[in-house]
Amino acid sequence: MMFEKCVSTILLLQFCCAGCGFCGKVLVWPYEMSHWLNLKIILEELLQRGHELTILISSRSYLFDYHNPSAFNFEVIFVSGTREDAEKKVNEFLDAAVNIMPTLSLWESAKLFQNFFLEATEQFEEVCRKAVYNESLMEKLRETKYDVMVIDPVVPCGELVAELLGVPFVNSIRHSVGDIIERYCGHLPVPPSYVPVSMGGLTDRMTFMERLKNMMFTLFFNFVLQQYDFQFWDQFYSEALGKRLCFSWYTTIQRPLGSQRKASEIWLIRTYWDFEFPRPYLPNFEFVGGLHCKPAKPLPKEMEDFIQSSGEDGVVVFSLGFLVKNLTEEKANFIASALAQLPQKVLWRYKGKKPATLGANTRIFDWLPQNDLLGHPKTKAFITHGGTNGIYEAIYHGIPMVGIPMFADQPDNIAHMKAKGAAVEVNFNTMTSADLLSALRTVIYQPSYKENAMRLSRIHHDQPIKPLDRAVFWIEFVMRHKGAKHLRPASHDLTWFQYHSLDVIGFLLACVATVIFTVTKCCLFSCQKIGTGKKKKRE
Ligand SMILES: *[C@@H]1O[C@H](CO)[C@@H](O)[C@H](O)[C@H]1NC(C)=O
Ligand SMILES: CC(=O)N[C@H]1CO[C@H](CO)[C@@H](O)[C@@H]1O
């Protein structure tokens, strides 16, 4: 039996390799948390199609259990510090995200977010140094002759490794702070008049004041509030490569005329037009949001019975994702008391102490099969912190949302869903029981919310090619063709002043100035001539 299984698996693999024409080698530079959950889906699909995958991770990484056997190969970069340290750091961050950031203004909260990244520079640097300066590791990777690298650019260094190995790469990203990486390394156009800059919490229809705000945010993200220490990384990249590589505005300014720059071949963006506002983009940007979504599977019996007991009223699903642990007791209590007043049954993913005000209609779980619950016909609403993965599951199944955003892309995500009429936002910091209750009643009992969520769901499902297939297609395309050079805009070979046509505008202004000057001079001269001519005649 076992033997037969093995043989059929091998046959299947061969069939697939024949089917896709080609079995490639893929090197992955991932990031943790929700990023990994999304990337993993693509990698598992690649694995199924017979490609060989190697994942580069640091020994401090706490999400990957590289000791256990897995279909992925792990190449571990050994660094100081333990997984527990890393986990502690992330918990501190999550604590700040839940208990501090919501009390701050958008600006201050972004600043705090930035500080965490800047503080992490040292750790990112150690991982990078131990990877690129370990000759035996680099030689091993070089000898394997990878066909493509898949990179999550939220942590620097992936593109440096790709450049050193001479391997084309594909970026997978939701967005960077202020779209810096997409704008400067991908040349994604972001016109501030109608494209809200990431982490500004704005929509595509802006009043004058909002457009002003959008412009200010863009400038701040360019020059003040940056996710990385760009100068540091530019220096690091230059030392490792002997030349500059795209990393930032800073590199953009410093780049000598005519020098080539390596850039991502394809950008896989974790959103789609059900979620995004219509905006300009480039042909090497693929919007593959929701690629992790699947039809719902049957639920565990106990959970199903609980849901069925809700009768006509249905159920509400409540999860703050990775932030489940860190609510204060007071907050948990008034959330519970709001939930207790609903006629619906509530499934709440929560790990803290059981709140005293917990109603009979609410059950607490350590973990929820979120996608299966959102796909259940009795589910009426989803209370979410607004992570992209969760939002996409709700879009996929057409469930209206109550958003309690905290940090990173969450306020933006909820702003998008609000603008599309599929969500109500509740401010985590100032909310009362009554606010949460009224938001829930609105999305459950005002039919427009359900209708809009269903409309987004129909847009999501009505695509010529499924997002996961598109993501895999483009990665395989880059493998087959050693890149996607035909999609690369020539803007990558321009300097910033050529890109903005400042040289041409300057030239035209100079021409106009010369003409105006000449005409004025001529006029003055001829006026004088006529004047003196008349004078002469009179005499
Ligand atoms: C360099 O990489 C090799 C192979 O991955 C590993 O065995 C070795 O420990 C690394 N050396 C250092 C100094 O990290
Ligand atoms: C309620 C709770 O779990 N609080 C924790 C939040 O995070 C900080 C930092 O990791 C912990 O010290 C708290 O115990």
Side-chain angles (χ1 to χ4, degrees):
M1 188 63 204
M2 200 61 201
F3 175 72
E4 269 170 39
K5 236 184 193 163
C6 259
V7 171
S8 64
T9 312
I10 290 168
L11 280 180
L12 203 71
L13 283 183
Q14 275 179 346
F15 174 75
C16 172
C17 284
C20 42
F22 168 84
C23 274
K25 292 185 184 143
V26 184
L27 185 63
V28 186
W29 182 270
Y31 185 60
E32 322 226 8
M33 295 200 266
S34 57
H35 294 241
W36 169 246
L37 296 183
N38 197 282
L39 191 62
K40 195 170 87 174
I41 306 288
I42 302 180
L43 303 184
E44 282 168 350
E45 182 67 19
L46 287 170
L47 210 56
Q48 282 235 318
R49 293 170 67 86
H51 302 294
E52 199 180 294
L53 277 95
T54 306
I55 303 182
L56 271 174
I57 55 163
S58 93
S59 56
R60 219 171 14 220
S61 167
Y62 62 92
L63 202 80
F64 308 94
D65 201 359
Y66 52 86
H67 299 295
N68 282 344
S70 148
F72 302 122
N73 300 317
F74 287 107
E75 194 62 61
V76 183
I77 303 161
F78 289 94
V79 290
S80 60
T82 61
R83 305 169 79 160
E84 285 69 39
D85 297 339
E87 199 159 2
K88 198 167 140 238
K89 201 93 197 139
V90 169
N91 282 335
E92 263 170 39
F93 175 73
L94 294 183
D95 190 36
V98 175
N99 297 318
I100 303 172
M101 283 190 199
T103 65
L104 305 174
S105 70
L106 209 61
W107 167 251
E108 288 168 323
S109 138
K111 188 95 191 144
L112 191 64
F113 187 70
Q114 176 204 26
N115 280 344
F116 271 99
F117 268 92
L118 290 185
E119 276 174 22
T121 300
E122 217 172 287
Q123 280 142 37
F124 293 159
E125 191 242 312
E126 189 191 0
V127 175
C128 195
R129 187 172 293 283
K130 295 230 159 120
V132 301
Y133 287 111
N134 181 339
E135 258 320 303
S136 73
L137 175 66
M138 290 309 278
E139 198 47 46
K140 187 170 158 195
L141 295 177
R142 219 171 266 126
E143 271 168 13
T144 315
K145 294 204 171 22
Y146 288 100
D147 298 291
V148 68
M149 239 182 114
V150 177
I151 292 172
D152 187 328
V154 77
V155 178
C157 201
E159 57 278 328
L160 177 61
V161 174
E163 176 80 15
L164 285 167
L165 297 177
V167 174
F169 63 96
V170 172
N171 274 344
S172 163
I173 191 173
R174 158 74 179 92
H175 70 68
S176 55
V177 172
D179 305 311
I180 283 276
I181 300 183
E182 298 93 308
R183 280 191 288 143
Y184 287 114
C185 299
H187 285 197
L188 182 69
V190 185
S193 54
Y194 68 102
V195 180
V197 70
S198 292
M199 297 189 67
L202 295 163
T203 71
D204 60 340
R205 287 171 203 278
M206 293 177 268
T207 60
F208 174 77
M209 284 314 284
E210 284 168 335
R211 278 184 289 123
L212 185 64
K213 205 168 151 190
N214 200 35
M215 179 66 97
M216 294 313 279
F217 272 131
T218 308
L219 293 174
F220 276 131
F221 287 131
N222 274 8
F223 301 113
V224 188
L225 200 152
Q226 293 169 339
Q227 188 173 349
Y228 307 102
D229 185 344
F230 285 129
Q231 292 204 14
F232 170 82
W233 284 105
D234 273 327
Q235 177 109 35
F236 189 96
Y237 277 29
S238 310
E239 275 166 21
L241 275 176
K243 65 176 177 191
R244 289 182 179 280
L245 194 67
C246 170
F247 201 72
S248 64
W249 169 85
Y250 180 76
T251 332
T252 312
I253 292 282
Q254 301 263 324
R255 201 163 54 92
L257 259 168
S259 68
Q260 287 277 330
R261 180 197 290 141
K262 177 134 170 163
S264 179
E265 304 288 340
I266 298 286
W267 295 74
L268 301 174
I269 307 291
R270 293 181 200 140
T271 59
Y272 182 63
W273 306 109
D274 43 19
F275 172 98
E276 287 283 352
F277 302 119
R279 57 166 299 163
Y281 64 102
L282 294 167
N284 59 344
F285 278 71
E286 252 330 290
F287 289 74
V288 294
L291 58 82
H292 64 291
C293 299
K294 292 191 187 81
K297 292 195 295 291
L299 294 164
K301 172 141 192 333
E302 190 197 352
M303 216 177 254
E304 181 67 40
D305 289 347
F306 178 63
I307 291 177
Q308 291 304 336
S309 74
S310 67
E312 283 294 292
D313 290 317
V315 299
V316 170
V317 179
F318 179 12
S319 168
L320 297 180
F322 275 95
L323 309 168
V324 282
K325 289 179 277 192
N326 241 285
L327 289 181
T328 57
E329 209 168 313
E330 181 201 355
K331 269 227 154 100
N333 265 322
F334 77 68
I335 287 175
S337 76
L339 298 176
Q341 294 169 55
L342 287 171
Q344 280 78 22
K345 298 269 154 112
V346 183
L347 295 98
W348 181 6
R349 181 181 171 192
Y350 179 56
K351 273 191 181 155
K353 192 168 148 251
K354 186 173 156 184
T357 54
L358 196 73
N361 68 335
T362 309
R363 262 195 214 172
I364 288 180
F365 298 85
D366 257 11
W367 178 82
L368 290 175
Q370 192 170 287
N371 185 55
D372 304 335
L373 280 170
L374 292 175
H376 197 285
K378 281 211 187 290
T379 301
K380 299 286 182 213
F382 178 36
I383 313 174
T384 172
H385 64 301
T388 314
N389 289 338
I391 290 220
Y392 259 102
E393 284 166 359
I395 291 178
Y396 185 91
H397 297 294
I399 302 295
M401 290 161 256
V402 169
I404 315 179
M406 289 168 210
F407 70 101
D409 58 339
Q410 296 159 10
D412 271 2
N413 294 347
I414 297 299
H416 280 234
M417 288 299 103
K418 238 170 73 183
K420 290 176 191 273
V424 170
E425 181 177 348
V426 180
N427 183 315
F428 181 72
N429 186 39
T430 60
M431 74 173 173
T432 59
S433 274
D435 293 337
L436 182 58
L437 190 62
S438 103
L440 276 163
R441 290 204 169 124
T442 307
V443 299
I444 296 172
Y445 295 114
Q446 276 190 23
S448 72
Y449 287 91
K450 179 68 184 173
E451 280 159 21
N452 285 324
M454 286 308 292
R455 181 173 52 83
L456 298 184
S457 178
R458 282 192 297 273
I459 294 169
H460 183 83
H461 287 278
D462 206 351
Q463 302 185 41
I465 307 174
K466 296 234 170 310
L468 180 57
D469 294 335
R470 272 186 292 133
V472 168
F473 169 82
W474 282 110
I475 294 171
E476 288 186 341
F477 183 96
V478 170
M479 288 197 242
R480 283 194 297 267
H481 300 270
K482 313 218 175 322
K485 296 279 174 290
H486 69 303
L487 299 179
R488 178 189 157 100
S491 57
H492 287 284
D493 305 323
L494 299 177
T495 60
W496 64 277
F497 58 87
Q498 287 171 333
Y499 178 82
H500 292 288
S501 297
L502 295 185
D503 49 350
V504 173
I505 292 171
F507 175 74
L508 289 179
L509 284 182
C511 288
V512 171
T514 315
V515 170
I516 292 176
F517 180 75
T518 319
V519 170
T520 326
K521 264 283 184 236
C522 284
C523 273
L524 282 178
F525 184 69
S526 47
C527 285
Q528 261 174 357
K529 258 277 161 68
I530 292 167
T532 45
K534 274 188 183 156
K535 234 190 223 164
K536 263 186 192 155
K537 246 183 205 169
R538 243 182 270 150
E539 277 167 6

